[in-house]
Amino acid sequence: MHPTPAQPDPARPQPARPHRAAHDREIESLAEFDEVVAGHGTLAQYRLQAVDLTDRTDVLLTTDTTGAVFLGCPMSAEAAARVGASGALVFPPVPNLPFDPYRAFAYTPDELFESLAEGYEATPDARSYAWFQRTRSDGDIFASMLRSIHDDAVSDALDELLAGARVVGVMGGHAMARGTDAYAGAARLGRELARAGYTVATGGGPGAMEAANLGAYAAPFDDGMLEEALRLLAKAPSFRPSITDWARAAFEVRERWPDGGPSVGIPTWFYGHEPPNAFAAHIAKYFANATREDGLLARSNAGVVFLPGAAGTVQEIFDNATPNYYESRGEPTPMVLVDEAHWREKLPAWQLLTSLAGERAMASRIALVDRIEQASHAVKRLSN
């Protein structure tokens, strides 16, 4: 149905990293490993993360590894004994897990949906959720530690991925169905933001989130591509009753138009009934929803668009408003609410938001627009 999930391609440039000394001493691929050994002749004090070193035994036996830390790096028993004796710390891979707690990069759709041809239940995404459900009810401290390590690794990968990017978050509910005018509007919003040079980030799930990621995916193509993609997706309007059919429709679009534009999805296994969408090129999936929610909003440094939603979207509005109110993350960032009737009457968040803003700096960074077509312009205006 789609390619098997590959590890990061050494020939493909990886996202730029923040210029911090700690990141300069991280090794996250075999290509980086070979480059460091060839260029510096030492692995002392380096941090190696999820790199398969089973074919580098000779190097590990002859290279200084003093103070190095190996996180989930497969290696021969001989190499592990030698680097451990040299003073390095070796955290071996954890067997029988459907995920890698030490992973160095964000997920890809192909990775999370591997084995979709056998049904969604066979995919790593579904198996990770089942593991989460089982271990959460067990209260196993080892499992909770693995979840924390995984989520921290995902946050680290996300920081590296988004270094220097202008990120606009698009928030909205999972109930928005494919084939509706609202879904098409959210897709056009994502496309317009991507074409304006922003990195689109969403909660990574279905509905409005998928639509915005789809729009960013469609950005490099002509406008007819998006219209045809919307038509194809409408064959499976929702992830209910079949996540398998819903996901297969998305991969059909990806296969017909490969190499779409990049965007980011930040979903969670906490809401495991909501699968991730296949249009975000980079998926930072978390076990802890609180970490995921705060991280998504904190990284939306160029603003956030809030489409009509329910409790989750209301929570996101005020999770975003609080640091803007206190300026705890620096200068307030734009907040654009879409659909006046929804945010004034059905769920009157706008009145509370404007009262909260008062005479503070954030007052000049909030806007309410009636139509989704106005949202991208409002983000640009508030940014200036």
Side-chain angles (χ1 to χ4, degrees), residues 88-140:
L89 289 176
V90 179
F91 294 80
V94 181
N96 303 318
L97 284 179
F99 63 93
D100 182 357
Y102 301 113
R103 64 177 303 109
F105 300 95
Y107 292 97
T108 66
D110 290 324
E111 185 176 6
L112 287 175
F113 284 102
E114 182 185 11
S115 303
L116 181 64
E118 302 169 30
Y120 173 69
E121 294 74 16
T123 66
D125 186 65
R127 291 189 291 113
S128 295
Y129 176 57
W131 177 90
F132 176 44
Q133 289 291 87
R134 184 177 67 255
T135 58
R136 182 172 59 170
S137 62
D138 289 345
D140 183 352

Side-chain angles (χ1 to χ4, degrees), residues 186-200:
R188 286 191 286 270
L189 170 64
R191 184 179 62 182
E192 185 173 351
L193 290 170
R195 287 177 173 176
Y198 295 108
T199 296
V200 174

Side-chain angles (χ1 to χ4, degrees), residues 157-205:
L158 197 54
D159 285 340
E160 295 177 9
L161 175 71
L162 295 177
R166 294 187 303 156
V167 181
V168 173
V170 179
M171 310 298 163
H174 68 263
M176 184 184 288
R178 295 168 173 176
T180 63
D181 290 342
Y183 185 95
R188 286 191 286 270
L189 170 64
R191 184 179 62 182
E192 185 173 351
L193 290 170
R195 287 177 173 176
Y198 295 108
T199 296
V200 174
T202 77

Side-chain angles (χ1 to χ4, degrees), residues 309-331:
T313 310
V314 172
Q315 177 182 340
E316 289 162 346
I317 289 173
F318 293 102
D319 280 348
N320 199 160
T322 300
N324 279 346
Y325 179 88
Y326 289 111
E327 299 186 44
S328 56
R329 294 177 184 147
E331 186 177 346

